[in-house]
Amino acid sequence: MRLVRTAALVMTLALMGAGTALAAPGCTLVAEAEGGMVRVRLGDACATRFSPASSFAIPLALMGYDLGLLVDEHTPVLPYKDEYEAPVEAWKKNTGPAGWMGDAVVWYSQALTSAMGMDRFGAYVEAFGYGNGDLSGDEGMDNGLTHAWHSSSLAISPDEQLTFLEKFWQRRLPVADIAYDRTRAILPSYGAADGWRVWGETGTGYPHTADGTKDHAHAFGWFIGWAEREGGTVLFVRLIQDDGPEDTPAGQRARDGFLADLPDLLKAP
């Protein structure tokens, strides 16, 4: 543990001393996939729980493939229904697993959990040790099966997201091996400078105001996953939170910022 904290502190001081803007996000964590040593720990929100939003698609995919509800990268294709009233144009089409993950399609996630039922869904969340484990949903709405992870009752900190990713990478979750392989196959991938290839999922959520409505001026965004280049693999979590209205989803900006920052994050000794 002392080694982990020391490495993170060295990185924090190096970045601050360089005058970089990388210290600004709510939290950035980067850890060695093998061994778990934390290379980067920046920000003041790493221990604070937020809704996972669509970053929860990674554990959902593990559940879906383990149960056989998901088959491969393209099966099943589920039909879009007008009753979904999707707010995003890219969601208004028939969708398979790869498209679901690539576009963070909320109604596809909800179809999966509905097919699982609360007993199986809840058992997975508990077995995964995922965040606060609260699947009650919005107060008084009895909608936890389809809404708990979207700015609702389920919450997880960046530190806990990293722990989940470590379990995923080391195959220490109670799912079949094929669930790991097929979940990895549908995660979107991105190129970054210095030879990095990044796989990850975004998520955008909103805190609640005193009257229970969503505060769209202070959206938060996730980007979680892993990055590889010759010589090693790292796991990462990026969380940002807005201090005012923005035109693009916070999760997309968390992703784009992390892809731009990654090479510099790992240049310090």
Side-chain angles (χ1 to χ4, degrees):
M1 183 61 70
R2 181 174 299 173
L3 178 61
V4 169
R5 291 175 177 169
T6 300
L9 179 60
V10 168
M11 174 57 75
T12 301
L13 293 174
L15 289 172
M16 290 175 64
T20 174
L22 294 176
C27 181
T28 298
L29 298 170
V30 182
E32 298 288 352
E34 303 301 328
M37 187 183 78
V38 176
R39 298 273 302 277
V40 178
R41 182 183 176 87
L42 295 171
D44 58 5
C46 294
T48 303
R49 284 173 167 168
F50 294 78
S51 166
S54 287
S55 72
F56 192 59
I58 297 178
L60 280 180
L62 289 171
M63 300 174 200
Y65 282 120
D66 189 55
L67 288 170
L69 297 173
L70 302 178
V71 179
D72 55 30
E73 293 179 56
H74 308 292
T75 311
V77 172
L78 301 182
Y80 175 72
K81 301 176 183 179
D82 290 340
E83 65 195 60
Y84 294 152
E85 298 181 345
V88 178
E89 194 63 34
W91 297 356
K92 297 179 180 180
K93 61 185 178 183
N94 298 346
T95 301
W100 160 53
M101 193 74 79
D103 290 326
V105 181
V106 171
W107 65 259
Y108 197 100
S109 298
Q110 294 172 324
L112 273 182
T113 55
S114 295
M116 289 179 209
M118 183 56 85
D119 287 346
R120 290 194 295 189
F121 180 41
Y124 276 116
V125 170
E126 181 178 4
F128 287 5
Y130 191 89
N132 66 358
D134 185 351
L135 300 180
S136 59
D138 298 324
E139 186 174 357
M141 298 295 291
D142 191 29
N143 62 1
L145 182 61
T146 55
H147 288 73
W149 63 96
H150 278 288
S151 303
S152 186
S153 58
L154 187 63
I156 190 167
S157 69
D159 285 332
E160 290 169 327
Q161 288 269 37
L162 183 60
T163 297
F164 168 76
L165 288 171
E166 288 170 344
K167 292 178 182 177
F168 173 88
W169 191 262
Q170 297 163 11
R171 300 186 177 229
R172 293 191 288 113
L173 296 165
V175 297
D177 278 348
I178 197 169
Y180 294 104
D181 297 335
R182 292 188 173 171
T183 297
R184 290 181 63 169
I186 64 172
L187 244 68
S189 68
Y190 309 90
D194 290 356
W196 286 100
R197 192 74 191 169
V198 179
W199 287 260
E201 182 66 326
T202 62
T204 299
Y206 306 93
H208 288 88
T209 63
D211 64 4
T213 59
K214 292 178 180 177
D215 181 1
H216 288 269
H218 296 90
F220 52 86
W222 294 99
F223 185 47
I224 71 170
W226 64 89
E228 298 178 357
R229 70 173 178 181
E230 186 176 356
T233 301
V234 294
L235 309 176
F236 67 84
V237 176
R238 166 63 65 91
L239 173 74
I240 65 170
Q241 184 163 21
D242 296 336
D243 57 8
E246 294 284 351
D247 293 333
T248 56
Q252 293 180 19
R253 287 181 282 109
R255 176 197 65 203
D256 294 346
F258 181 79
L259 294 175
D261 292 345
L262 175 61
D264 287 336
L265 283 168
L266 296 178
K267 279 180 180 177

